[in-house]
Amino acid sequence: MKMEEYFKKGQAYVWKETFAIIKANKIDWQSFVNIVDKHEITVIIDENKIDKNNVIEIMKGWKIFTLDIVFPSTFCGVTAKIASELSKKNISIMPIAAYSRDHFLIKEENIVKAIKVFESLGIKIKIY
């Protein structure tokens, strides 16, 4: 099946919460995700759950778009296609790939434009 067919059969949803991306001192178990590499800990968390004592640096005002479409593990180009279309509208993203879903952090002020981009690709949007 082609990517466009997956898009037309699938949907994305926008989380109601607004998130912060934090360079953190430690993992936060209340977060959406913790990313730990050998240089830093990144915590993506609902802004209402931030532990200020855990913050080294912070970027606030992010919404999460979850692409609720399961692609075969060998499928290529999904994030590239979406990122390319969003970039044409000057919308930056922070993509996160989970086991079977892709997530895109998009600045809150770009929600309306981003929804139009997803819809132009044939992806239905739900807002939670």
Side-chain angles (χ1 to χ4, degrees), residues 31-98:
S31 68
F32 168 71
V33 70
N34 292 281
I35 302 168
V36 181
D37 64 33
K38 56 183 171 175
H39 301 290
E40 62 191 10
I41 297 170
T42 301
V43 172
I44 299 172
I45 191 165
D46 179 337
E47 288 185 4
N48 294 316
K49 296 180 179 178
I50 296 170
D51 173 1
K52 292 179 178 144
N53 295 319
N54 196 28
V55 176
I56 298 170
E57 293 180 38
I58 190 168
M59 295 183 291
K60 290 184 174 183
W62 297 86
K63 290 298 207 179
I64 297 176
F65 284 62
T66 294
L67 189 57
D68 195 16
I69 303 170
V70 178
F71 294 92
S73 61
T74 57
F75 207 87
C76 296
V78 175
T79 301
K81 176 67 175 170
I82 292 171
S84 175
E85 294 303 312
L86 289 167
S87 73
K88 291 176 185 175
K89 300 294 183 187
N90 203 31
I91 301 172
S92 297
I93 63 168
M94 300 280 280
I96 300 172

Side-chain angles (χ1 to χ4, degrees), residues 100-118:
S100 62
R101 302 285 186 286
D102 292 327
H103 309 277
F104 300 87
L105 279 81
I106 297 174
K107 289 297 282 183
E108 195 168 24
E109 63 264 19
N110 291 320
I111 290 174
V112 173
K113 289 192 311 184
I115 288 172
K116 288 178 183 174
V117 170
F118 278 82

